[in-house]
């Protein structure tokens, strides 16, 4: 990770869970991390914790609504002015809403697409343009996907969410192909976790918190730090090594 010291990473959805763990880990490794979310207060607390811990990097909180394109474009403009640009983009933000295909609300479907697919694509495009204009040829774009991007579980509440994650699988491979065509050495990686003990199930099952808690008690789940470790592994690979996809599941998870 030495070559990344002092360089700039953007982590979306950095206020809680996997995003917060990734941001903290990259700061620990000496990076300047712009952590964005709507709830910037949580990131400010994490930034203060990083300072208290004596980490060599810096966490810079930025308030951004990823469902609003102008917010994202303003964020990249701000990063350009304040920190030259983005060298590593980690598209972590994502959400699932219980909106079945036969009875779900269109507004819920649209929200999932806006955050899980459109925001990821906008941030990817803007990060690439930031790298290109500064002649950065060793940048990295990492999409935090899901095992739901690789199989369809018989659960109506997450079928539309699953479709959005299949899109992330396709977008990451398409990105790799476009980067190769552009004759750049910027890399693209997809990390697909299984069940991770975060706030995810509590948000998905907001009307049934007992069921959400039971989800995490059913097996020994992954922790957010496990995904952060995978991100560090990916970034630590030599510049000529392309790590395409990593699927990470708890040992006890059946699929």
């Amino acid at each position: 990770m030495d070559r990344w010291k002092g360089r700039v990473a953007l982590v979306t959805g950095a206020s809680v869970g996997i995003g917060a763990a990734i941001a903290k880990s990259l700061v620990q490794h000496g990076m300047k991390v712009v952590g964005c979310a709507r709830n910037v207060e949580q990131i400010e607390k994490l930034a203060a914790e990083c300072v208290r811990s004596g980490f060599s990097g810096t966490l810079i909180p930025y308030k951004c609504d990823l469902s609003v394109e102008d917010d994202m474009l303003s964020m990249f403009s701000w990063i350009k002015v304040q920190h030259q640009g983005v060298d590593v983009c980690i598209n972590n933000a994502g959400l699932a809403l219980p909106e079945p295909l036969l009875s779900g609300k269109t507004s819920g479907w649209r929200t999932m697409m806006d955050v899980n697919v459109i925001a990821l694509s906008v941030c990817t495009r803007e990060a690439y343009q930031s790298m290109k204009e500064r002649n950065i040829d060793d940048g990295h774009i990492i999409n935090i996907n899901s095992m739901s991007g690789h199989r369809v579980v018989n659960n109506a509440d997450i079928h539309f969410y699953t479709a959005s994650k299949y899109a992330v699988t396709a977008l990451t491979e398409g990105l790799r192909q476009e980067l190769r065509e552009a004759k750049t050495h910027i890399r693209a990686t997809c990390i697909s976790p299984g069940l991770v003990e975060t706030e995810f199930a509590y948000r998905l099952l907001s009307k049934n918190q007992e069921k959400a808690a039971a989800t995490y008690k059913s097996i020994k789940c992954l922790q957010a730090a496990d995904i952060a470790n995978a991100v560090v592994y990916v970034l630590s690979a030599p510049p000529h090594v392309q790590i395409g996809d990593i699927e990470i599941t708890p040992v006890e998870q059946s699929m």
Side-chain angles (χ1 to χ4, degrees), residues 54-71:
F55 294 160
S56 57
T58 310
L59 177 56
I60 303 139
Y62 191 96
K63 187 177 179 67
C64 181
D65 185 341
L66 291 168
S67 65
V68 179
E69 183 174 10
D70 284 348
D71 267 24

Side-chain angles (χ1 to χ4, degrees), residues 147-211:
M147 286 302 296
S148 291
H150 303 277
R151 82 282 193 266
V152 181
V153 173
N154 185 16
N155 178 348
D157 281 346
I158 62 168
H159 283 156
F160 196 93
Y161 166 77
T162 297
S164 75
K165 288 301 184 177
Y166 263 79
V168 173
T169 301
L171 287 167
T172 309
E173 179 53 34
L175 174 61
R176 274 191 218 108
Q177 293 180 14
E178 290 191 26
L179 289 171
R180 278 197 297 269
E181 277 190 23
K183 305 230 180 301
T184 173
H185 294 93
I186 296 168
R187 295 176 292 176
T189 299
C190 200
I191 297 177
S192 300
L195 195 57
V196 186
E197 190 173 359
T198 63
E199 78 299 332
F200 184 87
Y202 293 101
R203 291 181 176 178
L204 173 64
L205 303 168
S206 59
K207 295 178 182 175
N208 191 341
Q209 295 292 283
E210 287 185 7
K211 185 177 179 182

